[in-house]
Every structure is written in C-alpha cells, then in structure tokens.
Amino acid sequence: MNSLFRIAAAQISSLAPPILATLRAQEGTTTQPDGTVIPHYVDILLRIMVQAASSADLTQVAGLNQSTETRVVYLPAELKGIDRAHQFGGDLLVFEGSEWLVTGQPETWGGGQWSKLLVTRQRPSACPP
C-alpha cells in the first residue's frame, strides 16, 4: 500500500512539490510548582505537502475561530489532533516560517502510513524549518 502512496505523491509533487518541515511531536508535560504546564517535544524532520483548506475541511473545525489561517497537510505518518478529553495532541509542524498546531486528522491511509491533517497557524517560529 505504501508504494501506491509514493506513486501518487510523485505525480502530485509536480503540481505541489513537498517541502521540508519539522514535526514537533509532544511527548509529555511537566507541571511546575506554580501549576504551569510545560510541554516536551521531540523534533522530527520530514517532507510534507501543503494545500489550502477547502470549505469542506473547514467545516470539520467549525467550532474554531476561523480568522486564523488553516492549511491541509499530507505527510507519511499518523498523528492526532488535539483531544483534551483523552489528554493527547498538541503536535506542531514548523514550516513557512511559522508553527502550525495539528487541529484535526480527517483521514489516514495505509494503516497509518499517510495522514491528512488540518493545521492552524499559531505564531511565527523561532526555530528553522
């Protein structure tokens, strides 16, 4: 199945070439004495394909403030968006000079080998892509 995605990605890359990004995968938190929670991340360099979010994609995040920039990202991995109830999420992607929070994962393919993510711009990044 992964070879099928590589073939598709090769065809699409002529129209929208993949870019290098840093995945900042959250791997836990530390609670400070004052109650402040500090997340801990592992940085992973990977290639992603970025597209503008369609109106159908934005419908999936309808409860969020839509004045922010939202993109669709395809990457060869499985990630999860924010899920406060289950206490996971908070993964970030760094590209286009900004940090982008993974706010949803509407689709996966190949048993988690590829994912379609919704990401929302957080702020300009202090770290290189």
Side-chain angles (χ1 to χ4, degrees), residues 21-40:
T22 302
L23 168 63
R24 302 194 75 219
Q26 190 177 37
E27 69 167 14
T29 60
T30 302
T31 303
Q32 300 296 310
D34 66 357
T36 305
V37 177
I38 300 175
H40 299 282

Side-chain angles (χ1 to χ4, degrees), residues 90-101:
D91 293 339
L92 299 167
L93 282 169
V94 179
F95 64 95
E96 295 179 355
S98 296
E99 286 185 342
W100 298 77
L101 179 65

